[in-house]
Amino acid sequence: MRHNKEILQSYFRDILYAVYLVMARSGASARDISEIVTSALSAAKSQLDSASFASSRISATVAGVLHRWHHDRRFLDADGNPRRLAIHSGKRSLALLIRAEDRRADVSAVVAAMRRLRLIRSMGDERYWPTTRFATISELDPVLAEHVCHSLGRLLTTVNNNTGGRAGTMRFIERSAQVQDLPRKKLSEFRDFANAQGDVFVSSMNDWLEARRASGTLRRRASVARAGVHVFAFTEPVLRPQRAVLRTTPRSRPSAPA
């Protein structure tokens, strides 16, 4: 139990270290960082009673539910489209779909999150169907924060694996493609191209992974592992370098307030 706690603490320590390092390099002072941390911690505590935190893996569950809804024959109609499902009633329910993806999931929390993020909709007959094939979250939400936290942690794990392993250790892909001078008028074209290429890549990887998932009788923790890829594109402004100022005399410090 203590070992698991130490691993968890190390996991979050690495995430926070990376965040604080970026903040410091961006010009934030120790006081600025402390104030941000205090504010963020207060906001997080206020969210702990939210139903969206009932499952620590709700973002992964939501994504898996959407994929299963579009691929599992039990939840497809005669035309191969996702069936409209009631939450609990019927031979094929949304609860059954969620539990098929994660047996320990809090059904109410998952449904609430999917409704809040508009990933499912209903025409008023108490039955729902998905609005998208992928769990693309376009607004600030605890589920998105969880997703970002896990993604950052996984990136750090990949980097640590690739740099800290012994010679010949299997490395995981960690690549980037970027330039420093893409014309701004090309940003829209870049966005469309990146989205199209990313969709093809992620869909192929998702199909490969889903086809090789362990069966229900083999899903013991000791015999399975979480695996996947994460793709994202970015743009950022090119900042002008600041001119260094050489001071030849010490700068006087203001006296402390009384």
Side-chain angles (χ1 to χ4, degrees):
M1 189 73 176
R2 181 178 178 182
H3 179 63
N4 291 339
K5 182 178 180 179
E6 290 175 350
I7 292 177
L8 186 63
Q9 289 178 340
S10 177
Y11 175 84
F12 287 116
R13 188 181 302 114
D14 286 345
I15 293 176
L16 293 175
Y17 165 77
V19 173
Y20 295 159
L21 187 61
V22 171
M23 292 169 68
R25 286 178 173 174
S26 299
S29 67
R31 181 176 179 178
D32 293 335
I33 295 175
S34 178
E35 290 177 351
I36 292 171
V37 170
T38 300
S39 176
L41 182 59
S42 176
K45 287 181 177 179
S46 69
Q47 289 287 341
L48 288 178
D49 293 332
S50 172
S52 60
F53 279 93
S55 169
S56 62
R57 292 288 179 181
I58 196 168
S59 59
T61 301
V62 166
V65 166
L66 287 175
H67 182 274
R68 187 179 294 273
W69 209 339
H70 285 85
H71 293 80
D72 192 323
R73 287 182 294 178
R74 292 176 297 172
F75 305 102
L76 300 176
D77 61 21
D79 297 322
N81 298 315
R83 291 179 179 271
R84 294 169 62 180
L85 303 174
I87 296 178
H88 293 288
S89 61
K91 294 176 56 178
R92 304 176 183 88
S93 65
L94 193 48
L96 179 63
L97 171 60
I98 293 170
R99 291 270 166 71
E101 180 61 29
D102 184 350
R103 289 176 296 175
R104 295 174 297 171
D106 184 323
V107 172
S108 297
V110 174
V111 172
M114 296 182 76
R115 292 181 62 182
R116 185 174 66 250
L117 297 170
R118 295 187 288 277
L119 299 176
I120 57 176
R121 62 178 300 184
S122 171
M123 294 298 292
D125 61 353
E126 303 300 324
R127 292 189 299 168
Y128 295 85
W129 73 92
T131 60
T132 178
R133 295 174 63 91
F134 304 104
T136 301
I137 303 174
S138 57
E139 60 189 70
L140 186 61
D141 188 270
V143 174
L144 178 60
E146 174 197 290
H147 170 67
V148 171
C149 184
H150 289 316
S151 297
L152 179 56
R154 288 162 184 156
L155 173 60
L156 292 172
T157 298
T158 296
V159 172
N160 289 338
N161 174 80
N162 291 348
T163 59
R166 295 173 297 178
T169 300
M170 182 170 53
R171 296 168 59 89
F172 289 101
I173 185 170
E174 190 271 309
R175 302 284 189 273
S176 67
Q178 58 180 295
V179 297
Q180 306 298 323
D181 51 7
L182 184 70
R184 288 183 175 274
K185 64 181 181 180
K186 294 288 186 181
L187 290 180
S188 178
E189 183 180 342
F190 164 69
R191 180 198 61 208
D192 293 342
F193 180 73
N195 287 348
Q197 295 296 311
D199 282 346
V200 172
F201 174 67
V202 172
S203 294
S204 297
M205 292 298 300
N206 196 53
D207 289 343
W208 190 96
L209 290 167
E210 288 289 342
R212 290 161 177 78
R213 296 184 69 169
S215 63
T217 57
L218 298 176
R219 294 178 68 176
R220 295 176 301 167
R221 290 189 178 185
S223 62
V224 298
R226 185 174 288 106
V229 296
H230 186 177
V231 177
F232 69 95
F234 71 92
T235 64
E236 58 189 16
V238 178
L239 302 178
R240 295 180 179 179
Q242 296 181 349
R243 296 178 60 184
V245 178
L246 178 63
R247 293 191 176 92
T248 57
T249 58
R251 191 177 188 180
S252 62
R253 295 183 179 179
S255 58

